[in-house]
Amino acid sequence: MIGFLYFCRMTQIIEANRRLRIPYILRLVIFWLIIFALFRFVFLAFHLSTIAHSGILPAMHSIIAGIRLDLSTISFLIFPSFLFWVLRQFIKSRLITLVNTIYTIIVLFIISLLAVSNIKMYHEWGALLNFGVFDYVSHPREVLTFISTTQLILLIVFLILYLGFSFGVYKKIVTNFSAPTGNGVLKTALIILPIIILPVMARGGLQLAPINESSAYFSTTPFYNHVAINPAWYFLHSYFDLKTTKNPYLYLDSAEAEKRNRNLFVKSETPSPSILKTQRPNIVIIILESWTADIIQSLGGESNITPNFDTLSKQGLLFTQIYAAGSRTEHGLISVLSGFPPPPLISIITIPAKSEKLKSINTVLTNDGYSSSFYYGGEAGFVNMKSYLINSGFTSIVDKASFAENQLNSKWGAHDQYVFEKQLHDLKSSSEPFLSVLLTLSSHEPFEVPMGTPFDDDHSEPGKFRKAAFYSDHCLGEYFRAAKKESWYDNTLFILVADHGHRLPKERDFNMPESKRIPLLFFGNVLQENIRGTSINKTCNQNDIAATLLRQLNKNYSDFPTSKDILNPDTKDFAYYTNDNVWGWITPDQKFIYTYATQALSNTENASPTAPQNDSIVMDAKAYIQTHYQHYLSF
């Protein structure tokens, strides 16, 4: 309400001053400053619970901290209007005014749509929308799984109101062009000055380096920095980041970076222990949607959410310090099957020309006579998953189209129980040995499940997440009870791993390491008896599954340079992760993140953010990032 009254008062003042002939370009600048401030007021209003923890001052600071980025953005937005205004000074045509008005309406619509989308999706992703969102445009149904029908209607209504209010402010403050300036000196000044000032505004001032997101950073709480960043500037800047053909992470001499990176993945002469009874088992990989360690009691998480997984972990080999490399399902899929973690700000699966060059576990096993299948309750074409699976040699791909309407939830696809049942049914007739991968989805928003759970009365977001995870775990239990009756069961290695972590149920910070910690379990009668019920505490990534598995099968894994054998006693303890805000590095001794906007490293967890960092660990992390990104560019 305070924000609304503030805007009303501002428009009254500007309207009064407009009659005093404030220059048109200056009125445009003021208008857009108000619009971007409006976005921040509304954004903050939708995140009052966050503000409640830290008070009103950081929220107010975030509104002011982004003004330089706002001015940079405004300089680009108003330049066409400035050109139209210049033409209008010499050509008395209403057509110019009409074209300018149409341009303004289009830009206002785009900015309003971006603002409303950010208000909704920030809650889901913990980051402002970047250009990568277009990877999802071809699958609108999947995108809408984040939004219920009621929410969608409310968002559309809100968009109309937001756009209407913004255009109303425009009419009050800017309206049409002022009449052509009669004073020749003044007209010349009003034409020349913007030509000088707008480029300076665009680069953020006369400093050596052009402006970037770091100019808006002021808080140790990422949320307030994200509020301060201009959403339009961030969105457009991300386009150039995603289209780069140069390595932006050149920290070290290339030879030094390569040497350090090789040392991280050096193959030990010490043999890895054999954990399998055979080197040609069937392999079933179950990728669990959003399963964070926080919901698994055997990993120190909450109790009674995943009791079946906890039971299985007592009979298998549990890896307790595994971290997801990315923050999206497609990141997890590539990491698990190709041992290829996502480079910073990149989703390689959305670029078929590059992802088709990746080797996968299935590529190796197909050459060894394995049959293969992939099961998913959603649409396999989502973010180019299908092209990747086909290029990886999967001969059978089962997705949403294979399930009846009454087996689907309202948004995403088939409930987990039906996907598990479908795989079990098909494996009865599969030739052995086989590799079968199953990707669950019931623990994805909107968290709909077709059964009662102990968490049904908790309608909070964490409660809904617990409910969905409990259901997926229930399906997992039923699956194994049925699988044990199959003839192929005794000769099958099951690998259970999450695609990525989650902020729920503990409402963790998206950027911090603990939100990325996930389960990894090797299970099955094919395991050596002395292995069952044991655990390994080495710090590693989900992309290390490829090398670990292939080494157990006595296969060469040299085509997986970013995957290491977890079981080898000499393997280095480290994990890497990335999201839209940071990349992170985790070792038993130190955890730190690199924030893209500030281009700075900071410690996390128990260490002070300003505590001294181990230079050797930092150099290893930088060498890894530099080498990995260069590897991506080489595809």
Side-chain angles (χ1 to χ4, degrees):
M1 179 59 70
I2 294 175
F4 177 76
L5 294 175
Y6 167 80
F7 287 125
C8 290
R9 180 58 182 157
M10 283 294 295
T11 54
Q12 289 173 359
I13 294 172
I14 300 301
E15 169 66 12
N17 288 335
R18 185 178 63 80
R19 299 189 185 99
L20 299 177
R21 306 295 293 274
I22 293 177
Y24 173 72
I25 297 302
L26 182 56
R27 279 185 275 133
L28 272 179
V29 171
I30 295 171
F31 162 72
W32 280 112
L33 283 173
I34 291 175
I35 293 304
F36 290 134
L38 170 65
F39 162 73
R40 295 189 178 97
F41 274 114
V42 176
F43 192 93
L44 289 166
F46 274 81
H47 295 84
L48 289 177
S49 59
T50 302
I51 298 174
H53 290 297
S54 49
I56 195 68
L57 287 180
M60 294 299 99
H61 193 170
S62 67
I63 294 172
I64 299 170
I67 289 179
R68 282 185 66 206
L69 270 185
D70 289 347
L71 289 172
S72 177
T73 308
I74 289 167
S75 67
F76 292 102
L77 295 180
I78 69 175
F79 190 72
S81 291
F82 166 67
L83 294 180
F84 292 138
W85 179 85
V86 171
L87 285 175
R88 186 70 177 84
Q89 298 306 301
F90 301 100
I91 303 174
K92 297 181 180 180
S93 171
R94 292 184 178 179
L95 179 61
I96 298 173
T97 302
L98 176 63
V99 171
N100 181 63
T101 301
I102 293 172
Y103 165 76
T104 301
I105 292 173
I106 292 172
V107 172
L108 258 181
F109 175 78
I110 293 172
I111 297 296
S112 298
L113 180 61
L114 187 60
V116 173
S117 299
N118 266 300
I119 289 167
K120 169 59 183 173
M121 296 311 297
Y122 186 89
H123 185 65
E124 306 295 340
W125 290 348
L128 296 175
L129 291 182
N130 62 36
F131 211 80
V133 74
F134 285 110
D135 294 336
Y136 298 84
V137 168
S138 59
H139 299 275
R141 257 188 293 181
E142 281 75 6
V143 174
L144 292 176
T145 59
F146 293 103
I147 309 171
S148 68
T149 302
T150 301
Q151 288 176 325
L152 180 61
I153 294 172
L154 290 174
L155 283 172
I156 292 173
V157 172
F158 183 60
L159 173 62
I160 294 171
L161 293 175
Y162 191 99
L163 179 60
F165 180 80
S166 298
F167 192 68
V169 175
Y170 176 80
K171 289 182 67 177
K172 279 282 187 180
I173 295 177
V174 183
T175 65
N176 295 325
F177 295 132
S178 54
T181 305
N183 187 312
V185 174
L186 179 60
K187 180 186 293 187
T188 301
L190 290 176
I191 293 174
I192 293 177
L193 283 176
I195 293 175
I196 298 172
I197 293 172
L198 289 179
V200 176
M201 280 176 56
R203 74 185 309 277
L206 297 174
Q207 72 284 350
L208 183 63
I211 194 172
N212 58 43
E213 291 96 333
S214 63
S215 71
Y217 272 57
F218 69 94
S219 174
T220 56
T221 303
F223 169 78
Y224 293 113
N225 297 325
H226 298 160
V227 174
I229 292 173
N230 184 285
W233 197 97
Y234 180 83
F235 187 81
L236 291 175
H237 188 218
S238 72
Y239 169 81
F240 298 102
D241 288 339
L242 290 171
K243 298 299 180 183
T244 183
T245 57
K246 295 182 179 180
N247 190 338
Y249 306 103
L250 296 176
Y251 302 115
L252 309 172
D253 173 78
S254 58
E256 174 66 14
E258 288 284 352
K259 180 180 177 181
R260 280 188 169 272
N261 192 66
R262 280 196 305 271
N263 188 53
L264 288 172
F265 293 95
V266 65
K267 292 183 180 180
S268 171
E269 295 182 2
T270 304
S272 300
S274 178
I275 66 171
L276 303 179
K277 295 178 180 179
T278 174
Q279 291 185 348
R280 281 179 64 82
N282 302 311
I283 299 165
V284 173
I285 301 176
I286 300 175
I287 303 176
L288 301 157
E289 169 67 49
S290 300
W291 271 41
T292 167
D294 289 332
I295 61 171
I296 299 170
Q297 186 174 4
S298 54
L299 293 176
E302 297 182 13
S303 60
N304 301 320
I305 298 178
T306 57
N308 289 290
F309 183 92
D310 287 326
T311 298
L312 295 173
S313 68
K314 296 173 183 176
Q315 304 164 20
L317 176 59
L318 180 66
F319 300 84
T320 64
Q321 295 296 324
I322 301 298
Y323 292 83
S327 56
R328 304 276 194 273
T329 295
E330 64 268 25
H331 296 163
L333 186 66
I334 294 280
S335 294
V336 171
L337 298 183
S338 287
F340 191 88
L345 300 172
I346 295 295
S347 185
I348 192 172
I349 200 172
T350 64
I351 312 172
K354 289 185 178 288
S355 65
E356 67 185 12
K357 297 176 183 177
L358 291 174
K359 298 291 184 181
S360 77
I361 293 172
N362 192 50
T363 309
V364 177
L365 297 184
T366 297
N367 293 334
D368 194 33
Y370 275 68
S371 62
S372 61
S373 57
F374 181 88
Y375 292 81
Y376 178 49
E379 291 189 10
F382 186 51
V383 291
N384 281 322
M385 283 200 309
K386 189 174 183 179
S387 68
Y388 166 73
L389 294 169
I390 291 174
N391 289 329
S392 295
F394 282 92
T395 53
S396 174
I397 300 173
V398 175
D399 71 352
K400 181 178 179 179
S402 300
F403 298 93
E405 190 68 29
N406 62 1
Q407 296 176 324
L408 310 180
N409 65 23
S410 64
K411 294 287 184 181
W412 194 258
H415 293 292
D416 286 350
Q417 67 188 83
Y418 301 114
V419 183
F420 279 122
E421 289 172 0
K422 174 66 174 170
Q423 188 206 44
L424 283 177
H425 176 270
D426 292 352
L427 289 182
K428 290 179 183 291
S429 56
S430 292
S431 61
E432 299 184 52
F434 57 71
L435 167 67
S436 186
V437 179
L438 187 149
L439 173 60
T440 71
L441 59 71
S442 291
S443 43
H444 192 291
E445 293 88 349
F447 305 132
E448 293 179 359
V449 301
M451 61 171 274
T453 78
F455 305 98
D456 288 350
D457 294 333
D458 185 351
H459 300 295
S460 67
E461 195 175 25
K464 292 178 181 178
F465 180 72
R466 293 185 184 100
K467 177 181 70 172
F470 181 91
Y471 165 72
S472 289
D473 179 76
H474 168 80
C475 296
L476 199 62
E478 292 298 310
Y479 171 80
F480 277 103
R481 279 185 279 275
K484 288 177 180 178
K485 301 175 183 178
E486 300 298 330
S487 60
W488 48 262
Y489 177 81
D490 284 338
N491 191 46
T492 301
L493 172 65
F494 297 90
I495 299 176
L496 283 67
V497 64
D499 56 350
H500 54 77
H502 208 284
R503 60 185 178 84
L504 298 173
K506 293 186 179 295
E507 299 282 7
R508 291 194 184 274
D509 188 323
F510 283 95
N511 300 328
M512 295 298 106
E514 284 308 306
S515 71
K516 312 302 178 187
R517 188 164 161 255
I518 59 172
L520 171 59
L521 176 68
F522 282 21
F523 177 82
N525 289 347
V526 75
L527 288 175
Q528 301 276 7
E529 279 77 4
N530 65 316
I531 295 298
R532 301 178 196 177
T534 62
S535 62
I536 291 179
N537 302 322
K538 185 169 289 184
T539 301
C540 289
N541 275 122
Q542 62 194 161
N543 44 283
D544 295 323
I545 292 173
T548 305
L549 174 62
L550 293 174
R551 175 65 186 83
Q552 288 298 307
L553 302 181
N554 200 26
K555 305 296 180 189
N556 188 312
Y557 58 91
S558 59
D559 287 331
F560 301 83
T562 45
S563 184
K564 59 186 184 291
D565 181 3
I566 307 173
L567 296 173
N568 190 285
D570 296 333
T571 298
K572 302 295 176 63
D573 280 64
F574 71 87
Y576 150 84
Y577 66 88
T578 182
N579 62 24
D580 291 337
N581 303 316
V582 304
W583 61 254
W585 194 257
I586 305 164
T587 72
D589 299 319
Q590 192 162 29
K591 303 174 184 178
F592 55 82
I593 59 174
Y594 172 91
T595 304
Y596 302 127
T598 61
Q599 300 181 20
L601 289 170
S602 59
N603 291 322
T604 68
E605 302 298 302
N606 298 325
S608 165
T610 58
Q613 291 161 345
N614 184 309
D615 288 341
S616 180
I617 295 176
V618 170
M619 295 291 277
D620 283 345
K622 289 183 173 181
Y624 177 97
I625 300 296
Q626 178 175 331
T627 306
H628 185 46
Y629 202 94
Q630 197 62 45
H631 185 201
Y632 157 76
L633 290 176
S634 70
F635 287 144

